[in-house]
Amino acid sequence: YLKYCVSFIFMNDIDLYQKLKSLTSYKPSTEINQTFSALVAYCLDNNNKIHLDPDQIIETQKICSIGEEELELDFTNKVISNEKTLEDFTYYTNYRDQVNLEIESLRTFNPNIKKVLFIGGGPLPLTAILLGKNYGVDCAVIEKNKEYAALSEKLIQQLGIQNIQIINTEALDYGGYANYDLVIISALSQSNVLSKESLINQTSSLVPLTLARYATGNRILLYPDLNKSIINNIALVVNPTGNIINSSLIIKN
């Protein structure tokens, strides 16, 4: 096992890409967890370089998206069955630090955010949970996948959180944007019809503040970047520090 762990230290992004490509399943296992953890560590080290070509980067992002969904599905079911607590989640600290940084940045524009709509909650809407528990914010979560929406609703009930609502719909079909102080668009959110940038422009025209997560630098191996040149009314760019993965774009209407 020690040899197996040590071997990841000497892997670059090409090695990790080839390793991920060789796997037949991305459900959590020792091998899967070690591989994704090694990739995250590689991305967080600014001394590393990206050697993959653009197509390979896109493919790596897609694999990471699948892996993240599988991880969240597995973990959410374990919390619901009382096998795990929320704080056991592998990337709990990353999310907590991300939310703290974003809230501090948003307070420049609104020091008293009360109602938030989060687009793209997945089966584990951890950002909404952290906002609800740590900041007392009322959150609604839009999740277009019916299975994920039902599972996350069950999780919220299990945790006994009263100020989070799960809405199973497409983001562009939702008519209640005007009710919120802030919309957060997840790093993996996208419309079936529109590009991520167009989705951001559409939603940000309806609310005072929008925060869109994306990735830059080495972190684009995990999440897509954004074409900021076609996004309207950018007020602030928040770049990550330490173990935080996503950059954040704040749009002020």
Side-chain angles (χ1 to χ4, degrees):
Y1 179 77
L2 182 58
K3 286 181 182 177
Y4 179 73
C5 292
V6 169
S7 68
F8 283 100
I9 296 171
F10 303 102
M11 283 189 171
N12 63 16
D13 57 334
I14 294 175
D15 299 325
L16 291 164
Y17 165 75
Q18 290 172 342
K19 176 68 177 175
L20 288 168
K21 283 272 290 176
S22 72
L23 299 171
T24 56
S25 168
Y26 299 105
K27 294 180 185 296
S29 66
T30 299
E31 185 178 26
I32 288 289
N33 297 345
Q34 288 284 346
T35 308
F36 279 119
S37 293
L39 180 61
V40 170
Y42 188 87
C43 293
L44 290 176
D45 187 343
N46 293 326
N47 294 317
N48 290 328
K49 298 188 185 314
I50 293 179
H51 306 91
L52 299 175
D53 65 39
D55 288 341
Q56 291 172 325
I57 291 171
I58 290 170
E59 196 168 7
T60 304
Q61 291 168 350
K62 288 178 180 176
I63 291 171
C64 287
S65 177
I66 295 166
E68 184 171 328
E69 288 181 5
E70 293 285 7
L71 177 66
E72 289 188 5
L73 281 167
D74 179 75
F75 185 80
T76 299
N77 280 311
K78 285 178 177 174
V79 174
I80 290 169
S81 63
N82 292 311
E83 294 176 58
K84 296 281 187 181
T85 66
L86 204 61
E87 291 76 11
D88 293 326
F89 187 60
T90 306
Y91 302 111
Y92 179 85
T93 302
N94 303 61
Y95 273 87
R96 183 199 63 200
D97 293 349
Q98 177 107 44
V99 169
N100 291 346
L101 176 63
E102 289 171 343
I103 287 294
E104 287 304 311
S105 302
L106 287 160
R107 281 175 173 162
T108 304
F109 307 99
N110 182 352
N112 195 30
I113 292 169
K114 295 288 189 184
K115 295 191 71 178
V116 174
L117 179 68
F118 187 87
I119 298 176
L124 178 63
L126 190 50
T127 294
I129 291 169
L130 290 166
L131 286 170
K133 287 182 67 177
N134 297 348
Y135 291 95
V137 173
D138 290 333
C139 287
V141 178
I142 287 180
E143 175 49 53
K144 65 184 179 182
N145 182 299
K146 190 173 182 179
E147 178 194 352
Y148 294 173
L151 192 61
S152 58
E153 193 165 44
K154 196 172 180 181
L155 174 68
I156 298 302
Q157 292 171 353
Q158 171 79 6
L159 295 171
I161 301 173
Q162 304 296 320
N163 55 346
I164 298 177
Q165 175 191 12
I166 308 297
I167 303 168
N168 178 215
T169 189
E170 287 279 353
L172 294 178
D173 294 337
Y174 184 63
Y177 284 99
N179 298 322
Y180 299 93
D181 304 313
L182 166 70
V183 169
I184 299 176
I185 300 177
S186 74
L188 292 176
S189 243
Q190 57 186 318
S191 167
N192 285 341
V193 180
L194 302 174
S195 68
K196 175 83 170 282
E197 290 82 0
S198 296
L199 175 63
I200 291 166
N201 283 335
Q202 288 271 356
T203 57
S204 63
S205 67
L206 303 171
V207 292
L209 288 171
T210 299
L211 185 146
R213 289 175 176 167
Y214 64 107
T216 59
N218 293 340
R219 292 163 170 84
I220 64 167
L221 296 178
L222 305 172
Y223 297 101
D225 197 352
L226 283 173
N227 182 358
K228 292 187 281 296
S229 67
I230 60 173
I231 297 174
N232 302 325
N233 303 320
I234 295 173
L236 185 65
V237 176
V238 183
N239 288 314
T241 58
N243 67 345
I244 298 173
I245 292 172
N246 291 134
S247 295
S248 309
L249 205 62
I250 298 176
I251 299 101
K252 189 174 185 295
N253 186 8

